[in-house]
Amino acid sequence: MVQLIVGEKGKGKTKELLDKVNKEVKEANGTFVYLDKSRKHMYELNNKVRLIDMSEYDIQNSSEFLGFISGVVSQDNDLEKMFLDSFLKISKAEDDELGEVLERLDTMGKKYEVSFIVSLSKNEEDLPESAKSMVLISL
């Protein structure tokens, strides 16, 4: 399952995402992973959440990103949720492929029983039709 937190840059998506991960990790049965473009929010995350700084990896396009996500999922059988901040930056997804990338994440989530919570710097009306039903919070 994929859930989106959407809105223009500077609207508070990261704060919503951090609040959500820190609240939900207290009741977690499995592990949580937080992907971000830097380590900036490391001290704002509960210490039970694994932070992955995507700037350390040479991801060139959305296919490589999806491969990376598959690798993370395959290495942790207890993975419950992945939180993806600054999605457009870390995924390298272009506008014309955003819908497909989100759909592939959704398929992966259903297959491996992992939830993906994504912060996305786009207004809800600018999302591909296939992604509009995934919106959890629109800022």
Side-chain angles (χ1 to χ4, degrees):
M1 174 176 67
V2 174
Q3 296 177 317
L4 303 176
I5 299 173
V6 299
E8 292 177 8
K9 186 174 174 152
K11 290 285 187 180
K13 296 177 299 298
T14 295
K15 182 182 179 331
E16 291 283 344
L17 196 63
L18 288 167
D19 289 349
K20 188 166 182 56
V21 68
N22 287 328
K23 179 182 170 216
E24 292 183 11
V25 75
K26 294 174 185 168
E27 302 155 11
N29 296 319
T31 57
F32 281 23
V33 174
Y34 190 97
L35 274 67
D36 203 352
K37 63 184 181 213
S38 70
R39 293 183 177 275
K40 179 180 175 185
H41 301 292
M42 180 169 55
Y43 298 109
E44 297 171 65
L45 284 171
N46 183 300
N47 64 355
K48 294 178 182 169
V49 179
R50 178 176 171 211
L51 172 67
I52 298 177
D53 176 1
M54 293 300 292
S55 70
E56 295 180 6
Y57 302 93
D58 186 27
I59 305 292
Q60 296 293 315
N61 55 51
S62 61
S63 289
E64 289 180 8
F65 173 77
L66 288 168
F68 183 90
I69 296 293
S70 294
V72 172
V73 170
S74 74
Q75 291 299 307
D76 188 348
N77 292 330
D78 293 327
L79 185 60
E80 187 176 331
K81 293 188 179 186
M82 287 186 77
F83 294 80
L84 307 151
D85 199 5
S86 304
F87 186 75
L88 293 175
K89 282 191 170 73
I90 66 172
S91 71
K92 310 289 189 205
E94 301 292 334
D95 281 347
D96 62 334
E97 60 188 2
L98 180 60
E100 180 187 347
V101 171
L102 291 170
E103 286 175 30
R104 290 193 52 203
L105 272 182
D106 193 51
T107 300
M108 192 183 313
K110 289 174 182 164
K111 182 174 182 178
Y112 298 106
E113 298 179 8
V114 176
S115 294
F116 295 96
I117 298 87
V118 175
S119 84
L120 187 59
S121 292
K122 278 197 174 295
N123 287 319
E124 186 172 357
E125 59 269 10
D126 297 331
L127 293 173
E129 277 306 312
S130 61
K132 289 183 179 177
S133 64
M134 298 175 183
V135 174
L136 175 68
I137 299 171
S138 182
L139 300 171

